[in-house]
Amino acid sequence: MAVRLSIRQSPSDSELQEGCGLPWGATITPFAAVDENDHQPVHGLHAEDLPRCESCYAYINVLCEVERWSWTCALCGNLNGLSNEMADRYERRSSSYPELSSSLVDFDFDEEEDGTNSGQDFQGRPVFVAAVDLSASEDFLELVKSALLAALEAISPGSLFGLVTFSHKIGLYDIQGAVPVVKQVVIPGDLDGRLPIELDWIMPLESFLAPVENNKENIASALETLKPTSSWERATAAGQSVEGVPLGGRGFGVAMDALIKYLGAERGATFAIARVFAFLSGPPDHGAGQLDTRRYGDQYASRGEDADKALLPEQTPFYKDLAALAVQAGVCVDLFAITNEYTDLASLKFLSIESGGALFYYANPDDATLPQDLYRMLNRPYAFGCALRVRTSPEFKTARVYGHFFSDPQYENLQHIICCDQYATYALDFEFSSPQGFSRNNEAPPVIQIAFKYTVILPVEDDEKYASSGSANGSSLTRQRYMLKKRLRLRTVELGIARNIYELYESADPEVVLTMLTHKVIQASLTDGVKEGRLLLHDWLVILTAQYNEFYKLARFEQRNTFTRLDVAFSNSPQLQPLPRHVFALLRSPLLLLHEEGVHPDYRIYLQCLSSALQPSFLLRSVYPVLSSYTTPDKQAYPRHSLSRAALITSGSPIFFMDAFTTLIVYYSATADPSLPFPPPQNCQLRALINKLKQERNITPKLLMIRGGHDNTEPFERYLIEEQDVDGSPLGTGMGFVSFLDQIGRDVMKYME
């Protein structure tokens, strides 16, 4: 579990907090294998036996004072008694118990802890289902087929796999024989229609879900039978003419509703959690859950409306309600949208992020990294049925939490996370419980304790694989058994206290500050529109700059040259110096570019969902790319340049490498020596870096190779943002960022006056 604070030294009171201008909060990556210092958790047993504070319910931890018969809570200071058993235990060897020796501990729950069918008594298996859109092109289906074939190699032995298709009808595949059998049911076209019969009447679930290790060839054969639904079939199903009328026939909403109910009947018996990979080639336009995409073509400007504000909210609660149904059924939906037409991901996103899944968006099948993304996602460990609870000392509290979760309706500061991997990150704001803050008379430092309860599916090791008679020819087969393991991960963090603004500025973490700002502007954009999000970010930088200059007494209004004395580059504070560039880059990112600048609303929604779950270092890279240079593919010249053409010219290097998180670009300048190998050879230093970055990312970045003077350089030049005005106008003079700072300076003077 990695925990990073936006300010490593906390403000002493609310006046100091407001006066510094920095957000006070933290990011938490609960399922990360190591903490922020690369330390692994210590393992402990019997989580249910851990002593808890009678006042604040925090768990005993390494910061607590333990006496013979009692212990003092490090969070609230309450004195708690110890049972005879625990007192004897801690008296003998207190330092050997993980809860008293480490700030990061993973505890196992006993199998009978909650009375559920868990542990080694669990008879279920991992379940994966592919739901494929047939109202699509051949290119779409070829990409999906290659992705699913890659997925089969990543799915662990003993797992079950199912294949379902949808268009104007639903197709269920029996893939446990040499010849795949598909049974279909037509989807009613009316808006509130449901299937006339349940899917288990069409095909029993045991026929639909096939053991992967014994049916890979059968699954591959079934995938080869997938063909696009003809335009005639779709038009007939939708009651439309083939000519001149947009075709209906993509009944995604009905198909997902029926599939979730179909799988949910076996939760706890066949599986603990089922993952559905939904591949979508366009907007749902048939049956319940269909979306009206005409709003994308509306002329908002002519009506004086904000297009961004109109296109960001969902147009129907159907998919949010469907996500709630999926949670109850134990189904997690990963949505893969592969389309360049408006699909209204603003409405569809809830099905994925609120059921514990992920949202992927590919505008072009030709360069989509779908096979790699799916393979790597299945190769990562994941936890499900998670609960995240943050407890603090009584002087302060959690004000807001950001990320993909849902809050418990009954208990405060308890967040439920359906499914997460080691990359999933959440952010939270702190605020003081009273203006007094941390009293100077209180010697105990403030403390945060994060409790993360989760479940994992583990293979049963050293267990004899037992026979199953489920093969088509009646022969005996073996399969891997699985067990459920419930765990409690505890992280206790002691906070330092800053007594002045200087200490706060020196302890700021610019990556976490940017993460907090990104969450806030995304929320503001969804609520009030992108323009409001941009204004919020701009005003924050103005206020921070003003407060910084006021603290260092840099502005003198009695002097005529006040403006030249103003410091907008935070020269006295190295930790704050990156922030103006970060804010400038965030304003230039597709997250906050305006509709009229050509940002596709579905791409914006995808970036919002992606950015809302990224750890700080990844988010910084996605907002502000890193440009480095090489003299040869085996020798780096400079590790970092400004994002401008001037940097390309003055460096004199022939090769440049741009790391923009989702895209990696190798650029050979037009004046590069023709003898330099292009593309870079596989065994060179630059290739090694590219491969390393690909392995570290939670998504697969696209790799572009560009030669100046031969190829289109626009994909590379679009990232040279410091030559662009903040409103999107390319200046071509290298003054974009400089002009931005000048404007910030003028606005700071107005604010201070």
Side-chain angles (χ1 to χ4, degrees):
M1 179 187 295
V3 179
R4 294 180 60 179
L5 300 168
S6 61
I7 315 171
R8 287 182 287 273
Q9 298 287 322
S10 299
S12 58
D13 52 41
S14 56
E15 182 179 357
L16 191 60
Q17 178 198 356
E18 295 171 2
C20 75
L22 292 170
W24 181 32
T27 61
I28 303 172
T29 312
F31 198 55
V34 295
D35 68 9
E36 64 280 5
N37 297 314
D38 290 333
H39 297 149
Q40 293 183 340
V42 177
H43 187 255
L45 301 174
H46 312 300
E48 58 279 350
D49 294 337
L50 279 176
R52 301 186 66 176
C53 178
E54 297 171 358
S55 176
C56 69
Y57 302 104
Y59 294 87
I60 193 170
N61 57 77
V62 68
L63 300 177
C64 295
E65 294 182 4
V66 181
E67 299 179 6
R68 179 66 180 94
W69 298 103
S70 63
W71 62 282
T72 303
C73 178
L75 276 75
C76 68
N78 187 62
L79 184 65
N80 303 275
L82 286 172
S83 66
N84 291 338
E85 180 184 355
M86 296 306 297
D88 291 341
R89 174 183 176 182
Y90 291 146
E91 174 70 14
R92 290 194 304 269
R93 292 186 304 163
S94 63
S95 61
S96 65
Y97 291 100
E99 61 266 32
L100 299 182
S101 61
S102 175
S103 63
L104 176 60
V105 190
D106 247 357
F107 295 95
D108 287 344
F109 281 99
D110 290 341
E111 291 181 11
E112 66 275 9
E113 180 259 341
D114 56 4
T116 59
N117 182 21
S118 61
Q120 298 202 27
D121 293 332
F122 177 65
Q123 298 299 316
R125 302 195 248 175
V127 168
F128 304 94
V129 177
V132 182
D133 182 3
L134 295 186
S135 303
S137 65
E138 288 280 3
D139 290 342
F140 170 91
L141 288 180
E142 288 302 317
L143 177 64
V144 171
K145 290 175 188 177
S146 63
L148 289 176
L149 290 174
L152 292 178
E153 300 304 316
I155 292 176
S156 56
S159 301
L160 300 175
F161 180 85
L163 177 63
V164 60
T165 59
F166 61 90
S167 56
H168 63 281
K169 55 190 176 184
I170 297 175
L172 297 178
Y173 281 74
D174 183 342
I175 48 181
Q176 300 187 54
V179 179
V181 176
V182 58
K183 295 186 178 180
Q184 299 174 331
V185 58
V186 175
I187 299 175
D190 48 311
L191 288 172
D192 57 352
R194 295 292 190 270
L195 290 183
I197 58 175
E198 301 294 334
L199 292 185
D200 57 354
W201 295 359
I202 303 171
M203 182 179 294
L205 198 61
E206 56 266 26
S207 299
F208 174 70
L209 295 175
V212 171
E213 68 273 22
N214 303 319
N215 292 280
K216 284 188 178 181
E217 292 185 3
N218 298 339
I219 296 171
S221 298
L223 292 176
E224 286 303 315
T225 66
L226 299 183
K227 302 296 180 185
T229 306
S230 68
S231 59
W232 180 86
E233 286 183 280
R234 294 176 61 195
T236 302
Q240 298 173 338
S241 168
V242 177
E243 297 181 1
V245 179
L247 300 175
R250 187 178 291 110
F252 177 69
V254 178
M256 288 295 103
D257 178 77
L259 179 60
I260 289 168
K261 293 175 180 176
Y262 183 41
L263 295 171
E266 287 294 312
R267 182 186 186 184
T270 302
F271 65 88
I273 185 171
R275 301 193 67 169
V276 173
F277 310 131
F279 302 96
L280 193 62
S281 69
D285 56 6
H286 185 76
Q290 61 183 275
L291 300 172
D292 184 2
T293 57
R294 291 175 297 179
R295 67 175 186 167
Y296 179 53
D298 284 353
Q299 301 299 317
Y300 294 100
S302 63
R303 300 201 303 264
E305 297 181 21
D306 184 348
D308 299 298
K309 189 175 181 179
L311 292 170
L312 284 176
E314 72 274 19
Q315 61 175 285
T316 173
F318 181 88
Y319 292 98
K320 185 177 288 188
D321 296 341
L322 196 55
L325 179 66
V327 170
Q328 295 174 359
V331 175
C332 166
V333 181
D334 296 295
L335 181 58
F336 301 86
I338 309 154
T339 175
N340 59 2
E341 63 176 310
Y342 177 60
T343 306
D344 191 13
L345 293 184
S347 298
L348 291 168
K349 68 178 181 181
F350 295 103
L351 178 58
S352 59
I353 63 175
E354 293 199 358
S355 70
L359 174 65
F360 293 83
Y361 174 74
Y362 310 93
N364 186 355
D366 294 337
D367 59 2
T369 56
L370 172 61
Q372 299 93 321
D373 286 335
L374 187 56
Y375 179 85
R376 296 185 61 203
M377 184 175 71
L378 289 171
N379 260 326
R380 291 196 291 263
Y382 64 91
F384 64 95
C386 313
L388 181 69
R389 182 71 176 262
V390 179
R391 293 182 173 89
T392 63
S393 298
E395 296 89 351
F396 71 115
K397 60 184 179 181
T398 300
R400 284 164 298 276
V401 185
Y402 308 94
H404 300 161
F405 59 85
F406 68 91
S407 299
D408 190 276
Q410 182 177 359
Y411 298 103
E412 188 179 5
N413 292 331
L414 178 60
Q415 320 302 333
H416 295 281
I417 302 168
I418 308 305
C419 185
C420 75
D421 60 20
Q422 74 265 36
Y423 295 106
T425 301
Y426 308 86
L428 47 90
D429 280 326
F430 296 133
E431 66 180 12
F432 284 104
S433 303
S434 66
Q436 289 74 28
F438 303 121
S439 171
R440 295 179 184 270
N441 298 323
N442 186 2
E443 296 181 359
V447 175
I448 305 169
Q449 186 178 77
I450 301 121
F452 181 60
K453 185 178 180 181
Y454 65 96
T455 304
V456 291
I457 302 178
L458 300 175
V460 177
E461 297 179 0
D462 300 326
D463 181 63
E464 291 186 6
K465 297 182 179 180
Y466 57 91
S468 169
S469 58
S471 64
N473 57 13
S475 62
S476 178
L477 301 174
T478 61
R479 70 172 175 88
Q480 171 71 56
R481 292 182 60 207
Y482 287 86
M483 63 182 292
L484 298 182
K485 178 61 71 175
K486 296 180 185 295
R487 289 176 175 157
L488 174 67
R489 181 169 294 182
L490 290 178
R491 178 70 192 279
T492 309
V493 180
E494 182 178 279
L495 305 183
I497 300 178
R499 298 301 179 184
N500 54 58
I501 290 181
Y502 173 79
E503 292 181 3
L504 288 176
Y505 286 164
E506 288 302 298
S507 67
D509 186 332
E511 289 186 358
V512 182
V513 170
L514 175 66
T515 302
M516 305 294 299
L517 293 174
T518 304
H519 281 287
K520 292 175 185 294
V521 298
I522 288 176
Q523 190 173 77
S525 299
L526 291 171
T527 305
D528 301 310
V530 174
K531 291 179 181 177
E532 185 64 28
R534 292 175 61 87
L535 184 62
L536 173 71
L537 185 60
H538 177 273
D539 288 351
W540 174 83
L541 183 58
V542 168
I543 294 171
L544 173 67
T545 308
Q547 291 173 323
Y548 161 84
N549 278 271
E550 186 174 350
F551 172 73
Y552 281 101
K553 297 179 171 49
L554 300 174
R556 293 292 186 270
F557 288 100
E558 67 274 15
Q559 300 179 14
R560 297 182 60 185
N561 296 328
T562 301
F563 181 77
T564 59
R565 293 175 56 85
L566 196 71
D567 182 5
V568 295
F570 299 98
S571 303
N572 294 318
S573 180
Q575 295 301 109
L576 302 187
Q577 288 173 10
L579 290 178
R581 270 190 165 82
H582 294 175
V583 170
F584 175 78
L586 187 53
L587 288 168
R588 287 299 312 135
S589 77
L591 278 172
L592 290 178
L593 290 181
L594 300 178
H595 178 70
E596 51 266 29
E597 294 182 60
V599 178
H600 196 289
D602 285 339
Y603 183 57
R604 192 196 306 276
I605 292 293
Y606 161 70
L607 285 182
Q608 287 180 347
C609 294
L610 176 66
S611 302
S612 297
L614 286 179
Q615 57 199 58
S617 58
F618 284 177
L619 182 60
L620 172 61
R621 193 62 62 246
S622 70
V623 170
Y624 190 78
V626 167
L627 177 65
S628 56
S629 61
Y630 287 76
T631 53
T632 71
D634 261 319
K635 184 178 180 181
Q636 187 181 71
Y638 298 99
R640 183 183 290 264
H641 296 277
S642 63
L643 301 177
S644 65
R645 288 183 179 84
L648 306 184
I649 298 171
T650 57
S651 74
S653 300
I655 304 172
F656 294 88
F657 177 61
M658 182 78 75
D659 177 7
F661 187 70
T662 58
T663 305
L664 305 176
I665 304 176
V666 175
Y667 174 76
Y668 280 52
S669 70
T671 57
D673 189 336
S675 65
L676 288 172
F678 180 88
Q682 292 294 334
N683 59 349
C684 69
Q685 179 186 344
L686 181 53
R687 283 283 192 177
L689 174 62
I690 291 171
N691 294 333
K692 178 176 178 290
L693 293 175
K694 284 184 174 182
Q695 291 300 316
E696 293 174 347
R697 302 279 154 92
N698 59 329
I699 61 171
T700 307
K702 289 192 295 186
L703 177 61
L704 302 179
M705 301 283 186
I706 298 176
R707 286 189 301 173
H710 295 82
D711 305 320
N712 178 21
T713 59
E714 189 275 333
F716 176 75
E717 293 174 349
R718 76 173 63 160
Y719 290 108
L720 302 178
I721 57 174
E722 294 186 20
E723 293 185 340
Q724 302 167 8
D725 199 355
V726 75
D727 65 359
S729 305
L731 299 181
T733 60
M735 295 296 290
F737 177 63
V738 175
S739 297
F740 170 72
L741 289 182
D742 289 344
Q743 183 60 52
I744 291 295
R746 289 189 290 270
D747 292 340
V748 167
M749 293 307 300
K750 292 178 183 178
Y751 175 79
M752 297 184 73
E753 288 174 354

